[in-house]
Amino acid sequence: MAVLLSCAMTMSSVTAPAVYAEEVQLQETVDAETTEASEAEREEVVQESAEAQEAAPAQESAESQEEAAPAPAEQTETAEQQTEPASETESESQEQSETAETEIAEEIESENIQKIITGIISPEESILHQEVKQGAEESEICFPETLQTMVTDTEGEKEESLAVEWELSNAEVFASEEADAVFTYTAKFAEEYEISENIKLPEITVTIKEATEAFDQSTIIDNIKITVKADEGV
């Protein structure tokens, strides 16, 4: 009995260290495998990080190109913006053309507006009242070709020298055969001028003066009487 117990204890003493050793070895194996796995995972992570770093510049470059390249809508907007200046230029040219046409129309309209004579400087008294002798021609009457006037138009009132014609107003024709006959000539301006209501047109009156003989002398030659007569001033 005692011998058996001693044997059992001996076997137990021998078995226990062996089991412990196996457990230690197993633990070391597990630790080694765990370490190897950790190192493999670490290497894998490092490799993935390196690949990510290598891929990052390419991706950034691609993104930069995408950002630099305008989208189709942006390209359309850019094209429209480039077209807008041309359209604005055409619009400005059209407006300038319309303005020029309007100015021309206004100028033509202003030319059609009659100018108003608001004042006339009459000729000298010696011109307004003239005398011619019997038998005189109308060409012997002195008619001024121009008269100084005051004219009002769109620009205001100013003095102008205007051409004038003289129209016989109290007879159909000039005839100097009858003494003391009086002929009246009235000033007439171009149709583009309107005469103000308070303005009286100048008039030239021409009186036919009876002819007088200042020289009257007779002589007889060969029983023929010869008489010489001449008007005054001849």
Side-chain angles (χ1 to χ4, degrees), residues 37-149:
S38 299
E39 291 179 356
E41 291 177 357
R42 187 164 50 252
E43 290 178 358
E44 185 177 354
V45 171
V46 172
Q47 185 175 0
E48 289 178 356
S49 177
E51 291 176 355
Q53 291 177 356
E54 292 178 356
Q59 185 176 359
E60 291 177 357
S61 176
E63 291 176 354
S64 299
Q65 292 178 357
E66 290 178 357
E67 291 177 356
E74 294 178 353
Q75 291 178 353
T76 304
E77 291 178 358
T78 303
E80 291 177 353
Q81 291 175 355
Q82 292 176 351
T83 307
E84 285 177 0
S87 301
E88 291 177 357
T89 302
E90 293 177 357
S91 177
E92 291 176 357
S93 299
Q94 186 176 0
E95 289 178 358
Q96 292 176 356
S97 176
E98 292 176 354
T99 302
E101 291 176 358
T102 302
E103 290 177 353
I104 292 173
E106 290 177 352
E107 183 177 352
I108 293 174
E109 184 178 356
S110 65
E111 289 178 355
N112 293 331
I113 296 176
Q114 289 184 329
K115 300 177 181 179
I116 302 175
I117 296 176
T118 56
I120 301 174
I121 300 176
S122 294
E124 296 178 0
E125 191 68 21
S126 60
I127 300 297
L128 295 177
H129 301 281
Q130 300 182 47
E131 293 181 349
V132 294
K133 294 180 180 180
Q134 286 179 286
E137 299 292 335
E138 190 176 33
S139 59
E140 296 180 31
I141 303 172
C142 180
F143 293 115
E145 295 181 352
T146 61
L147 288 178
Q148 291 298 117
T149 63

Side-chain angles (χ1 to χ4, degrees), residues 57 71 99 120 122 166-167 217 232 234:
T99 302
I120 301 174
S122 294
W166 297 91
E167 189 176 62
Q217 185 176 354
E232 184 180 357
V234 175

